[in-house]
Amino acid sequence: MTNSPALPDGYELSTEAGRLDAGRVHHWLSTDAYWAMGRSREKQDAAVAGSLNFGVYDAVSGEQVGYARVVTDFASFAWLCDVYIDRSVRGKALGTTLVGLVCDHLDAFGVKRILLATGDAHGVYKKLGFTELERPGEWMIRRFE
């Protein structure tokens, strides 16, 4: 368990799918996230439907300010993806705290392996115990492009 700190005062976390602002999440990812640029709304909605979703919200206004999703079997494996914090609230450790809370949530199920891919946030994830693959030659990928 990472024993993550709570979100800063004024913010709250929820895994309630109905609370997500799907339009806002799609806009963030499809226009401002290098890994999801141009992702269609239909693809994003399908990804949300097949995932465990985490939203960060302003506790006063209820406005969503952050997002992460996890694809998991709730037993042994999880893929963390689409971690995003709105530009207007960056610099408050919301992203780092969000990822730590996601890891804590998965730890409660006994998940032993969480994978992710990042092109630019290695330092953030290393703070939370993520490391580079020890034996990358054992991993394979099949792409459909």
Side-chain angles (χ1 to χ4, degrees):
M1 183 177 257
T2 61
N3 295 317
S4 301
L7 287 168
D9 286 342
Y11 296 96
E12 56 192 21
L13 180 74
S14 176
T15 58
E16 186 179 324
R19 190 170 177 191
L20 291 174
D21 184 337
R24 174 175 279 223
V25 171
H26 174 255
H27 176 75
W28 285 336
L29 297 177
S30 67
T31 66
D32 194 40
Y34 68 85
W35 65 90
M37 295 295 284
R39 183 184 291 170
S40 73
R41 176 65 188 265
E42 294 76 22
K43 283 279 187 191
Q44 181 60 36
D45 288 348
V48 167
S51 301
L52 171 61
N53 299 278
F54 294 81
V56 178
Y57 302 89
D58 181 290
V60 175
S61 70
E63 178 181 33
Q64 187 170 354
V65 299
Y67 177 73
R69 71 182 180 90
V70 175
V71 180
T72 184
D73 61 8
F74 293 101
S76 62
F77 178 82
W79 175 269
L80 172 63
C81 47
D82 290 344
V83 177
Y84 189 92
I85 299 296
D86 188 273
R87 288 186 176 275
S88 68
V89 295
R90 289 185 185 169
K92 299 180 180 186
L94 290 172
T96 303
T97 305
L98 169 60
V99 171
L101 293 170
V102 167
C103 291
D104 286 350
H105 188 90
L106 294 169
D107 185 56
F109 291 100
V111 171
K112 298 296 181 200
R113 181 180 293 155
I114 304 171
L115 253 57
L116 63 85
T118 183
D120 63 354
H122 293 80
V124 171
Y125 294 107
K126 282 182 179 181
K127 288 185 215 174
L128 295 163
F130 286 87
T131 61
E132 294 178 5
L133 293 175
E134 293 173 17
R135 295 180 303 275
E138 292 180 5
W139 292 86
M140 297 180 75
I141 187 169
R142 180 176 176 186
R143 295 185 185 269
F144 297 89
E145 294 179 22

